[in-house]
């Protein structure tokens, strides 16, 4: 290392340093002329019939995107630092990365087992979108996910699921994310439809041994220019690792009257179905939203621009990121795991029910489901010779899987996000 941070750290730190100037500008009021310009980029007064089958066919035909990133600890370290002001130490203790791992030279030799494992939810601050600002939608989002040239211009994060959360290691290697649209659906009555777009993201490391496939056809070529960094076809890579489904919902552009109604109405409060075993209450600030936007390379204006929220999307204030609430739920859940490295979060399903706003207290809750589901450990007690499950099971390690309810309430106790997580605890059987 010569003169400070290694290259990945310097690049990210410089980006955050430069982007600090955009926060005051993003939070400044926008003029009515700018507001009209944002709205006029799509057919605001679109009254004709919408061909949803054509929308679905066009979106499903889009080639995959390929995002790349170096799995250096800097991103994860900065995310933990940003959250440490809002969460108890117990919620970030498992996420702490020693400073020497962050600021040392990337060429420092370490064995495979010395590299830290990426904390659950921290993959969200890797694999940035490779687009210039002029290539984004007017609201700052990725046009790849959007129903183009339609009245559905308002985007929200509806939920998703993740499997294999322990599938990434911070080993300074190049990693890839293959992203594609796998489903498009429409819900709602005529004139009030919502378009739901399901996105599949597969994370993996290039150069892994090719997986055995019955179908030898090569994968579709990626549409992202970052694909050129790999020098290999997608079909040559092993797609084992973390798999994520994201559900995005697109809604019609609002009229001025609809915006005023949204601002004036009292939202229905849905109470959570059970009591929390443990909870953390925090109040998100504009700085937290800005830091998370910067770390995730997310320019969506609903997280940065108060005037845009009110005058274009009909929200009273800045919205908390959907992925940020997921990250918070996983951090709070991690504080309840007592098995050290042998116990970890393996998967999560979650759904957003109502928005959360900056400056308003939110309560992140977890509760263990009372009937844990056991797989390999139960099989062993039953006298079974074969241990089923992951690689650890085949090596003779019993596995206990437990389900948890995770959710987030707003300041009124209303349910805004709900989900279910699965944790894995490995146990080595005693054959003596």
């Amino acid at each position: 290392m010569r003169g400070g941070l290694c290259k990945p750290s310097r690049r990210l730190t410089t980006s955050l340093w430069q982007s600090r100037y955009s926060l005051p500008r993003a939070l400044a009021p926008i003029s009515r002329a700018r507001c009209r310009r944002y709205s006029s980029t799509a057919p605001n007064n679109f009254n004709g019939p919408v061909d949803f089958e054509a929308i679905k066919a066009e979106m499903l035909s889009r080639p995959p995107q390929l995002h790349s990133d170096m799995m250096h600890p800097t991103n994860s370290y900065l995310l933990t630092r940003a959250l440490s002001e809002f969460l108890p130490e117990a919620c970030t203790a498992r996420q702490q990365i020693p400073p020497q791992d962050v600021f040392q030279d990337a060429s420092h030799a370490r064995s495979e087992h010395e590299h830290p494992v990426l904390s659950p939810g921290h993959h969200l601050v890797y694999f940035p979108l490779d687009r210039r600002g002029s290539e984004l939608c007017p609201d700052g989002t990725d046009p790849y996910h959007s129903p183009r040239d339609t009245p559905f211009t308002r985007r929200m994060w509806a939920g998703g699921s993740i499997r294999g959360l322990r599938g990434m290691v911070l080993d300074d290697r190049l990693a890839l994310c293959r992203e594609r649209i796998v489903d498009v659906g429409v819900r709602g009555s005529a004139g009030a439809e919502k378009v739901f777009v399901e996105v599949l993201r597969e994370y993996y490391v290039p150069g892994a041994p090719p997986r055995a496939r019955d179908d030898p056809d090569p994968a579709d070529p990626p549409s992202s220019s970052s694909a050129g960094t790999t020098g290999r076809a997608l079909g040559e890579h092993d797609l084992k690792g973390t798999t994520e489904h994201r559900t995005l919902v697109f809604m019609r552009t609002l009229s001025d009257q609809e915006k005023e109604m949204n601002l004036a109405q009292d939202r229905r409060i849905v109470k959570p179905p059970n009591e929390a075993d443990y909870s953390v209450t925090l109040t998100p600030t504009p700085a937290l939203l800005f830091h998370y936007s910067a770390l995730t390379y997310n320019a969506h204006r609903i997280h940065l621009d108060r005037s845009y929220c009110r005058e274009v999307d009909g929200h009273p204030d800045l919205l908390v990121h959907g992925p940020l609430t997921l990250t918070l739920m996983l951090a709070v859940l991690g504080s309840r795991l007592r098995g050290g490295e042998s116990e970890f979060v393996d998967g999560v399903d979650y759904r957003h029910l109502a928005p959360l706003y900056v400056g308003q207290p939110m309560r992140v809750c977890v509760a263990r489901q009372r009937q844990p589901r056991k797989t390999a450990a139960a099989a062993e007690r039953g006298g079974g010779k074969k241990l089923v499950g992951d690689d650890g099971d085949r090596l003779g390690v019993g596995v206990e899987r437990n389900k948890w309810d995770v959710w987030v309430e707003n300041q009124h106790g209303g349910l805004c996000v709900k989900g279910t997580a699965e944790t894995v605890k490995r146990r080595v059987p005693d054959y003596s």
Side-chain angles (χ1 to χ4, degrees):
M1 179 174 65
R2 290 178 293 180
L5 306 183
C6 62
K7 188 173 180 180
S9 300
R10 185 185 302 117
R11 184 177 64 240
L12 181 59
T13 305
T14 301
S15 174
L16 292 174
W17 176 259
Q18 293 173 342
S19 61
R20 79 194 193 280
Y21 294 109
S22 66
L23 180 57
R25 184 168 61 251
L27 301 183
I30 61 174
S31 65
R32 290 191 175 275
R34 288 176 64 196
C35 179
R36 286 193 297 270
R37 189 180 71 222
Y38 292 135
S39 300
S40 62
T41 55
N44 193 26
N45 298 319
F46 190 97
N47 294 319
V50 178
D51 189 344
F52 290 107
E53 289 301 320
I55 293 175
K56 178 177 181 178
E58 188 277 325
M59 296 187 74
L60 291 178
S61 69
R62 296 176 187 177
Q65 292 193 121
L66 193 64
H67 311 285
S68 63
D69 208 345
M70 301 298 294
M71 299 309 294
H72 190 272
T74 300
N75 304 41
S76 181
Y77 173 82
L78 291 175
L79 176 58
T80 301
R81 293 283 290 175
L83 298 180
S84 62
E85 288 188 323
F86 301 89
L87 296 174
E89 185 177 356
C91 296
T92 58
R94 294 169 65 100
Q95 302 173 355
Q96 295 291 344
I97 298 176
Q100 62 268 23
D101 285 352
V102 179
F103 300 116
Q104 69 185 359
D105 192 332
S107 63
H108 176 72
R110 284 183 291 186
S111 69
E112 179 180 353
H113 298 291
E114 289 180 324
H115 294 294
V117 175
L118 188 64
S119 298
H122 283 219
H123 72 286
L124 296 163
V125 298
Y126 290 83
F127 309 99
L129 178 64
D130 186 17
R131 289 187 187 272
R132 296 173 295 181
S134 59
E135 298 174 320
L136 301 176
C137 293
D139 63 355
T141 59
D142 184 0
Y144 178 77
H145 307 131
S146 175
R148 302 166 188 161
D149 301 320
T150 72
F152 301 96
T153 60
R154 298 165 51 234
R155 193 191 96 156
M156 295 286 284
W157 191 287
S161 64
I162 309 175
R163 296 291 178 270
L165 276 166
R166 201 175 169 82
M168 296 188 194
V169 178
L170 297 173
D171 56 2
D172 301 324
R173 296 175 63 188
L174 173 69
L176 302 174
C177 169
R178 183 179 188 260
E179 177 183 56
R180 57 193 174 95
I181 297 173
V182 295
D183 193 22
V184 179
V186 180
R187 304 176 196 169
S189 58
E193 302 95 340
K194 297 178 181 179
V195 178
F196 288 82
V197 179
E198 184 173 350
V199 178
L200 171 64
R201 291 168 67 95
E202 297 167 293
Y203 304 89
Y204 56 101
V205 175
R211 60 175 179 171
R213 301 198 306 172
D214 295 331
D215 181 9
D217 294 338
D220 294 332
S223 63
S224 172
S225 60
S226 63
T229 61
T230 67
R232 303 178 60 176
L234 286 174
E236 296 181 47
H237 299 301
D238 185 13
L239 293 182
K240 294 189 300 182
T242 302
T243 302
E244 178 181 11
H245 286 264
R246 299 178 176 180
T247 303
L248 308 174
V249 58
F250 292 85
M251 297 161 286
R252 290 178 181 268
T253 305
L254 294 177
S255 65
D256 291 339
Q257 182 179 7
E258 289 171 329
K259 296 171 193 173
E260 293 176 0
M261 291 176 59
N262 277 2
L263 292 172
Q265 71 179 358
D266 293 328
R267 299 187 181 275
R268 183 170 63 94
I269 296 177
V270 178
K271 292 293 184 179
N274 50 5
E275 294 293 328
D277 294 342
Y278 179 73
S279 68
V280 174
T281 300
L282 62 110
T283 301
T285 63
L288 174 62
L289 269 58
F290 169 72
H291 286 149
Y292 197 80
S293 290
L295 286 168
T296 55
Y297 216 65
N298 182 353
H300 198 180
R301 298 185 68 92
I302 63 174
H303 310 304
L304 298 170
D305 190 332
R306 280 194 174 98
S307 297
Y308 184 93
C309 290
R310 295 182 64 87
E311 299 174 22
V312 178
D313 259 22
H315 289 286
D317 212 329
L318 303 176
L319 278 75
V320 179
H321 308 69
L324 175 55
T325 60
L326 171 63
T327 304
L328 292 169
M329 289 192 299
L330 292 172
V332 173
L333 174 59
S335 71
R336 301 298 92 193
L337 306 184
R338 306 302 188 188
E341 290 298 316
S342 65
E343 188 173 15
F344 53 89
V345 183
D346 187 52
V348 62
D349 296 88
Y350 64 100
R351 186 158 60 97
H352 291 271
L353 306 176
L356 292 158
Y357 296 105
V358 70
Q360 297 183 5
M362 52 187 283
R363 182 173 178 242
V364 184
C365 307
V366 298
R368 180 173 172 175
Q369 295 184 4
R370 299 309 174 192
Q371 295 181 343
R373 177 170 60 90
K374 298 182 179 181
T375 55
E380 180 193 353
R381 287 196 303 272
K385 298 279 186 174
K386 181 179 180 182
L387 296 179
V388 297
D390 59 17
D391 293 337
D393 301 336
R394 290 193 293 271
L395 294 174
V397 180
V399 173
E400 175 184 319
R401 296 184 181 271
N402 294 293
K403 290 290 187 76
W404 299 74
D405 292 320
V406 293
W407 70 93
V408 181
E409 304 171 7
N410 60 19
Q411 60 181 342
H412 305 294
L415 188 63
C416 294
V417 188
K418 71 173 184 177
T420 303
E422 185 174 61
T423 59
V424 171
K425 187 173 183 179
R426 296 180 176 178
R427 294 178 175 175
V428 178
D430 184 7
Y431 292 111
S432 59

